[in-house]
Amino acid sequence: MNGLIVFNSANDVAYQNLNGPLAEKICSIANTQGLLPTPGAPLDSNVLLQIFSPIISSQRIMHCQFDNAYASFQCENGFNLTFGELLGFTFLKIGQVEIEQLMRQLGVAMTLTRYCYGANLFGSQAGAMQQELLTQCLNCYESQLWEEQEQEQQSYLLEALPKLLINAELKRTVHVTLDALLEQLRQTGGQQRAHALLLVSNKLVALNSTRQALPLAPADLLFLAILSRALESQRSPRAVAVFLQGVTHDVNSGCVPCIVHLSRLHGHQVLLQLIEYGHMPLTSSIYDTFFVLQKIVAVQQQGDADALKPAYESLESFVSQTLTALKRHLKQKHEDLESCVKKFTARWENLRKMYVEFFKSYERELLVRIESNLPAFVEELKQLFTLSLASCDIASNQQLDQLADSAAVVEAKLLEFAEFLAVKAARNISIDAYLEDFPGLVHFMYINRSSGQMLAPDLRQGQPQLLPKSKLWHMVEFTRNYLKKGQTTVMWKDRTFHYSYFLWFEDLSGGILKCSLDLQQHFLSTGFGNGNGNGGHKSPAEPGSLPMDYYSELAELCFPKLAGGKVRVYELYCIHLGLVTATCAVEHARRLVATISDVVGEGTF
């Protein structure tokens, strides 16, 4: 049983995605309680509301009034529920897996929702297309996580995109081809902010970007791979609107509107052309305003007068930035947008005056008036977000046709390499190539957390007998638990294997960076990541890329004086036969990283 239900601030069901067994279970409960008009009637939102309303109402009271919301429920027969909050929506994840795994799936579900909707979650303006896209991405992620194709599971388990290793000459040819594609987009379509990705069998071959484009975050790469996989049944070119994150150290990151055009080429190749649109400072400030508004709502419901004024000052700052960006970037407004800006400005002036009066006297009656006016202000902000994007010079149908033509040109240029790339992707890295230099090595997984890419030998059908999949999965979960306690090096062994895990930091020149902070003590005293990992609940941050950019925050924590993007984070998992000593495992790890760097080449991983 597995499913996701999302409730809005009025406790109505905004979204549901239930698999067959869970839907049958809920129907059975509804029949028992007499909630269905006739036995066998379809399950609708009203039935879900009646069944789950007591839990959701209790959750909101605990969250809003006591700031002590439930993180999860554990029930009989391994049936568990986890909760998350995002922009006023309550996410309820249901499943028969361990709580930690369910919490991670919930975090991913919330992240995918932001990718599909941006700031206006489940807005009526988005229509059914975005909801269908979200469902496809959710189903793809969870099916890939549990399916029997082990190589795919490594990628989704570690939340990193596999890198396809090819020779330098072919690599150069691919990059020149993609650069020519981007130059054509710039000259013919005026697209100054664009990216081009080439995937083969869901492995990354190359990523090229224009100078003005916002660099992609590790989570963006994985989302694009999920998107490509979710839409692979559609053979014809497809264009969808999404909201990427962008690298966290950029001031405009968080909500980057993009048109993603997918083209399936010969030999399992997928070309993704990304066109950034919208005015970044405006979109970013509106996006941040949504989160500050939600903070104000929570503070007011908790009755925390001391925290209300700083929250209001943040809101005033972001609204001011939004209005300034509107004047600067949208000088020629469409009629609908002009009307929306006027309504938004009037709503804000009215709200601002109420807050000014409230901070003079702190009268409860004024706070009630403010609370009654906030929903209308939020709706105007949602409308402003939608119309400001709709008024941009977004890709027209003619320009989208040009993207299809550009993809055909790329396919023609790479046609002679298509079969080679397909064969190489089927067997990217073999552990056999490393056995002579690293005796006793059974498997390794090498991840660049700053780029979101990974390298690992393919798991073959004959190999799981030597290395059971469960051992690999347990190793990752085991090391994550120790990483959450501040341990960046972990070693242990069982009767069969010796396991080792290493996390380290490098500067841009490849030099090792030493962290002076005692992570273990710091995590114990502060609880690193509390409140960030699950939509504001006070649960420990989960290492990964999709629920949150854990490794970027870790680098910032360890090296606060270094500018964002100046620190690279790497992880290495190694599994040796049990006879291998700890000293040998460490020496192998050092040489393995050096060997891989020589093979991959500098600046490409």
Side-chain angles (χ1 to χ4, degrees):
M1 289 187 286
N2 182 43
L4 174 71
I5 308 175
V6 183
F7 299 86
N8 62 19
S9 57
N11 282 6
D12 294 325
V13 176
Y15 175 80
Q16 58 173 297
N17 184 26
L18 312 175
N19 70 356
L22 181 57
E24 291 177 8
K25 177 68 174 178
I26 295 176
C27 280
S28 175
I29 295 173
N31 272 323
T32 303
Q33 297 181 0
L35 299 177
L36 295 178
T38 58
L43 191 64
D44 61 20
S45 298
N46 290 329
V47 174
L48 292 174
L49 178 62
Q50 293 180 70
I51 292 176
F52 290 100
S53 182
I55 297 176
I56 299 302
S57 297
S58 175
Q59 161 78 358
R60 288 194 185 278
I61 291 172
M62 293 297 293
H63 175 58
C64 297
Q65 297 188 16
F66 301 102
D67 193 23
N68 188 24
Y70 311 127
S72 61
F73 283 173
Q74 289 183 281
C75 308
E76 295 179 342
N77 303 319
F79 189 80
N80 298 319
L81 298 87
T82 58
F83 300 88
E85 291 281 338
L86 181 64
L87 294 178
F89 290 84
T90 299
F91 286 68
L92 176 63
K93 183 66 179 173
I94 308 168
Q96 285 183 302
V97 296
E98 295 294 328
I99 287 291
E100 290 76 12
Q101 296 179 22
L102 204 60
M103 293 282 282
R104 179 176 292 277
Q105 291 179 31
L106 172 66
V108 171
M110 294 165 64
T111 300
L112 293 178
T113 302
R114 286 194 291 107
Y115 273 116
C116 292
Y117 284 96
N120 189 7
L121 301 187
F122 306 105
S124 57
Q125 302 92 337
M129 184 177 296
Q130 296 306 104
Q131 181 170 314
E132 180 186 358
L133 185 65
L134 173 60
T135 301
Q136 289 174 314
C137 290
L138 282 172
N139 291 342
C140 174
Y141 169 77
E142 296 188 354
S143 65
Q144 293 300 316
L145 194 62
W146 303 114
E147 72 171 10
E148 293 303 319
Q149 297 180 12
E150 291 87 352
Q151 175 58 29
E152 292 300 327
Q153 284 187 325
Q154 288 187 94
S155 172
Y156 284 81
L157 176 73
L158 295 170
E159 297 182 5
L161 188 60
K163 175 75 172 179
L164 185 65
L165 295 184
I166 54 178
N167 62 58
E169 184 179 351
L170 179 54
K171 191 184 303 180
R172 192 181 307 111
T173 300
V174 173
H175 279 289
V176 168
T177 302
L178 296 185
D179 277 338
L181 165 66
L182 294 175
E183 180 62 22
Q184 182 183 2
L185 292 178
R186 188 183 69 82
Q187 291 184 353
T188 60
Q191 309 297 349
Q192 302 293 335
R193 295 179 290 147
H195 309 266
L197 285 84
L198 183 66
L199 304 175
V200 178
S201 297
N202 300 293
K203 294 180 176 66
L204 178 65
V205 180
L207 164 63
N208 289 35
S209 306
T210 59
R211 288 186 178 181
Q212 296 184 28
L214 187 66
L216 301 181
D220 294 335
L221 280 181
L222 193 55
F223 167 72
L224 292 170
I226 293 173
L227 180 67
S228 170
R229 197 68 185 260
L231 301 178
E232 70 177 351
S233 61
Q234 302 176 13
R235 306 306 303 177
S236 58
R238 170 84 184 271
V240 295
V242 298
F243 299 86
L244 299 182
Q245 176 180 314
V247 289
T248 54
H249 56 78
D250 192 285
V251 294
N252 293 322
S253 65
C255 185
V256 185
C258 288
I259 296 295
V260 180
H261 186 274
L262 295 95
S263 303
R264 303 202 174 274
L265 313 182
H266 185 75
H268 305 288
Q269 298 179 67
V270 178
L271 177 66
L272 292 90
Q273 300 175 71
L274 282 67
I275 309 298
E276 295 179 10
Y277 69 97
H279 303 284
M280 296 304 301
L282 174 59
T283 306
S284 178
S285 60
I286 294 178
Y287 183 70
D288 290 334
T289 304
F290 274 103
F291 282 92
V292 176
L293 266 174
Q294 197 52 43
K295 175 64 176 177
I296 278 192
V297 170
V299 167
Q300 290 178 177
Q301 290 175 337
Q302 292 163 13
D304 190 347
D306 294 334
L308 183 56
K309 191 163 187 178
Y312 165 74
E313 289 172 350
S314 295
L315 175 64
E316 187 177 34
S317 173
F318 283 118
V319 171
S320 176
Q321 291 176 27
T322 299
L323 293 175
T324 301
L326 278 168
K327 293 177 183 177
R328 182 179 302 169
H329 298 290
L330 298 180
K331 296 179 180 179
Q332 294 181 346
K333 305 183 184 71
H334 295 274
E335 184 177 342
D336 291 342
L337 179 59
E338 185 77 42
S339 174
C340 181
V341 171
K342 290 180 180 178
K343 290 180 181 178
F344 174 77
T345 305
R347 293 279 187 189
W348 167 243
E349 281 301 315
N350 185 40
L351 200 60
R352 187 185 64 80
K353 291 177 182 177
M354 291 182 191
Y355 273 114
V356 171
E357 289 298 318
F358 172 76
F359 290 128
K360 290 179 180 178
S361 61
Y362 286 92
E363 293 182 10
R364 175 63 187 171
E365 183 180 343
L366 286 171
L367 194 58
V368 172
R369 287 178 56 199
I370 289 172
E371 290 174 351
S372 64
N373 279 270
L374 270 177
F377 179 72
V378 172
E379 288 304 313
E380 290 298 338
L381 185 62
K382 290 180 178 180
Q383 189 73 3
L384 182 63
F385 178 79
T386 302
L387 291 178
S388 63
L389 293 178
S391 65
C392 296
D393 187 17
I394 195 171
S396 64
N397 290 332
Q398 182 180 1
Q399 289 174 317
L400 292 179
D401 290 338
Q402 291 177 351
L403 295 179
D405 295 338
S406 301
V409 172
V410 171
E411 182 176 27
K413 290 182 177 180
L414 299 179
L415 186 59
E416 61 180 301
F417 309 108
E419 293 300 329
F420 171 78
L421 289 172
V423 172
K424 187 70 176 71
R427 193 168 179 79
N428 188 27
I429 302 175
S430 172
I431 191 64
D432 298 341
Y434 295 85
L435 294 182
E436 183 177 347
D437 293 330
F438 303 93
L441 181 64
V442 177
H443 192 67
F444 69 85
M445 296 177 290
Y446 181 41
I447 308 109
N448 181 342
R449 288 298 181 184
S450 300
S451 68
Q453 301 175 37
M454 65 170 284
L455 292 169
D458 301 318
L459 295 176
R460 293 289 147 191
Q461 291 298 322
Q463 196 172 338
Q465 297 176 359
L466 176 63
L467 178 62
K469 181 177 60 178
S470 58
K471 296 275 189 182
L472 202 60
W473 275 212
H474 172 72
M475 179 188 187
V476 174
E477 291 302 323
F478 188 82
T479 53
R480 279 173 174 167
N481 288 332
Y482 273 90
L483 181 58
K484 289 189 288 186
K485 298 174 184 178
Q487 299 285 357
T488 58
T489 301
V490 186
M491 283 191 181
W492 76 102
K493 63 167 54 181
D494 57 22
R495 293 181 179 180
T496 310
F497 299 111
H498 181 283
Y499 307 88
S500 54
Y501 166 79
F502 308 91
L503 180 144
W504 70 98
F505 305 93
E506 295 182 5
D507 58 25
L508 297 183
S509 63
I512 299 296
L513 295 173
K514 297 292 185 181
C515 176
S516 60
L517 181 67
D518 186 339
L519 288 178
Q520 187 174 7
Q521 184 60 40
H522 181 80
F523 284 16
L524 285 173
S525 60
T526 64
F528 170 69
N530 280 359
N532 294 329
N534 191 19
H537 296 324
K538 295 182 178 180
S539 56
E542 287 292 329
S545 299
L546 278 175
M548 63 174 287
D549 197 348
Y550 181 93
Y551 299 96
S552 175
E553 294 196 15
L554 183 62
E556 184 178 345
L557 172 68
C558 294
F559 307 99
K561 294 183 180 180
L562 290 179
K566 300 294 185 182
V567 180
R568 292 174 179 168
V569 188
Y570 293 90
E571 284 183 312
L572 177 65
Y573 295 83
C574 288
I575 302 179
H576 289 80
L577 293 177
L579 296 176
V580 172
T581 64
T583 303
C584 180
V586 171
E587 193 266 338
H588 275 193
R590 288 173 177 166
R591 287 199 293 116
L592 184 61
V593 169
T595 300
I596 294 174
S597 298
D598 289 341
V599 173
V600 176
E602 294 295 330
T604 59
F605 175 68

